[in-house]
Amino acid sequence: MSKILAFTNQKGGVGKTTSTANVGAGLARAGQRVLLVDLDPQANLTKGLGLSDAEQNVYGALLGEYPLKAYSLHKNLALVAGSSALSGFEKVKGDELDREFLLKDLLEPLRDRCDFILLDCPPALGLVTLNAYACAQALYIPLEAQLYATDGLEKVLDLVGRVQRRLNPDMKVGGVFFTRHDKRKVLRRDTAEQLRVQYPDLVLDTVIRESIALGEAPHLGKDIFSYAPQSAGAADYQALVAEILTR
């Protein structure tokens, strides 16, 4: 039975998609069977991994138009494509009974066929995100160590508490990790240390350093291990994968 991990943050631009792609690729390289699910209406995970012509996507599957389709990317790695139409998911399904469990029901038949399912969540804490939280065993929260960094984190943690009480008591926060990190910058270093003190059980040891290669890889439809396996970004995500596997 696969473990479902959701990469989430209320704040956009913090590396959710980059982390979903590269943790997924790293797990696949470690021999794990991995399914990525693009739940962000921007569909950047889908585009950034080179799948630009998918005829079937997660939105159509959630609406029951066709079965869930996973597109193979590499050995042990497959992707359920995203869609811009996800932005209207709440309007279409908002009044439906058990609307928070549509994704869970959709993924259930696939859970025996893979070891990990990774969900790339949208920045908005709406119905799509609730569906992700309702089926995830663990949330991983990428965070930039800068001013107001705790705002998005506190909103996620507040929602986590409510979801645990009402929808998914088994869900936990797997960890918080810093992205685009540069310890030479005083503000980022100080903010990181402050958050480690404030949330000692949540902040992971691994940090993802600022890396040009991490920004370049999606433009070529590649993960960091395929694009620049000797880069700092590859080393950091390899370390993050190893840390996730021990939690």
Side-chain angles (χ1 to χ4, degrees), residues 19 40 72 75 97 104 141 173 202 228 236 238 240 247:
S19 296
D40 192 330
S72 179
K75 182 182 179 182
L97 187 66
K104 182 178 182 180
I141 306 170
V173 177
L202 294 185
D236 291 346
Q238 187 65 48
L240 181 59
R247 293 180 75 84

Side-chain angles (χ1 to χ4, degrees), residues 50-99:
L51 188 62
S52 57
D53 57 351
E55 294 182 359
Q56 298 181 6
N57 56 63
V58 68
Y59 180 73
L62 283 166
L63 265 56
E65 295 175 357
Y66 38 72
L68 192 67
K69 169 74 173 178
Y71 292 87
S72 179
L73 299 175
H74 302 294
K75 182 182 179 182
N76 293 330
L77 186 65
L79 169 68
V80 176
S83 169
S84 59
L86 278 166
S87 59
F89 181 66
E90 193 151 359
K91 183 180 292 185
V92 174
K93 291 291 188 178
D95 295 329
E96 189 167 313
L97 187 66
D98 291 337
R99 57 192 175 273

Side-chain angles (χ1 to χ4, degrees), residues 3 22 27 32 43 49-50 53 58 73 77 79 86 93 111 136 143 151 166 178 195 199-200 203 212 227-228 243:
K3 188 171 185 179
N22 292 315
L27 286 167
Q32 306 292 321
L49 289 174
D53 57 351
V58 68
L73 299 175
L77 186 65
L79 169 68
L86 278 166
K93 291 291 188 178
R111 294 195 60 194
L143 194 69
D151 291 353
R166 300 174 186 175
F178 298 114
L195 287 172
Y199 301 103
V203 179
I212 293 173
Y227 175 66
E243 191 166 5

Side-chain angles (χ1 to χ4, degrees), residues 8-217:
T8 182
N9 193 321
Q10 183 268 344
K11 193 175 185 300
V14 296
K16 291 187 300 295
T17 297
T18 298
S19 296
T20 306
N22 292 315
V23 169
L27 286 167
R29 283 165 50 90
Q32 306 292 321
R33 298 166 299 166
V34 181
L35 176 65
L36 308 177
V37 183
D38 190 348
L39 295 174
D40 192 330
Q42 296 181 81
N44 286 335
L45 180 64
T46 303
K47 299 169 192 171
L49 289 174
L51 188 62
S52 57
D53 57 351
E55 294 182 359
Q56 298 181 6
N57 56 63
V58 68
Y59 180 73
L62 283 166
L63 265 56
E65 295 175 357
Y66 38 72
L68 192 67
K69 169 74 173 178
Y71 292 87
S72 179
L73 299 175
H74 302 294
K75 182 182 179 182
N76 293 330
L77 186 65
L79 169 68
V80 176
S83 169
S84 59
L86 278 166
S87 59
F89 181 66
E90 193 151 359
K91 183 180 292 185
V92 174
K93 291 291 188 178
D95 295 329
E96 189 167 313
L97 187 66
D98 291 337
R99 57 192 175 273
E100 297 92 348
F101 299 102
L102 293 170
L103 180 64
K104 182 178 182 180
D105 292 343
L106 199 62
L107 294 176
E108 200 62 35
L110 300 179
R111 294 195 60 194
D112 287 331
R113 293 160 49 187
C114 48
D115 300 304
F116 285 91
I117 298 175
L118 273 54
L119 311 176
D120 182 23
C121 298
L125 298 179
L127 184 58
V128 174
T129 300
L130 278 177
N131 266 261
Y133 288 16
C135 64
Q137 277 82 55
L139 307 184
Y140 284 89
I141 306 170
L143 194 69
E144 283 193 62
Q146 59 182 359
L147 199 61
Y148 308 124
T150 57
D151 291 353
L153 176 58
E154 288 172 356
K155 289 178 181 177
V156 170
L157 294 178
D158 177 65
L159 182 58
V160 165
R162 286 183 281 150
V163 170
Q164 287 172 327
R165 290 191 299 272
R166 300 174 186 175
L167 300 175
N168 185 359
D170 297 325
M171 182 187 67
K172 66 175 185 177
V173 177
V176 176
F177 60 97
F178 298 114
T179 58
R180 297 173 181 164
H181 195 61
D182 186 347
K183 65 180 180 182
R184 296 170 299 179
K185 295 180 179 178
V186 175
L187 176 60
R188 298 211 172 195
R189 188 175 65 241
D190 290 351
T191 302
E193 289 308 312
Q194 176 188 340
L195 287 172
R196 287 188 187 279
V197 170
Q198 190 173 354
Y199 301 103
D201 297 327
L202 294 185
V203 179
L204 302 182
D205 293 331
T206 306
V207 299
I208 309 300
R209 289 167 285 178
E210 187 79 58
S211 168
I212 293 173
L214 285 172
E216 292 174 339

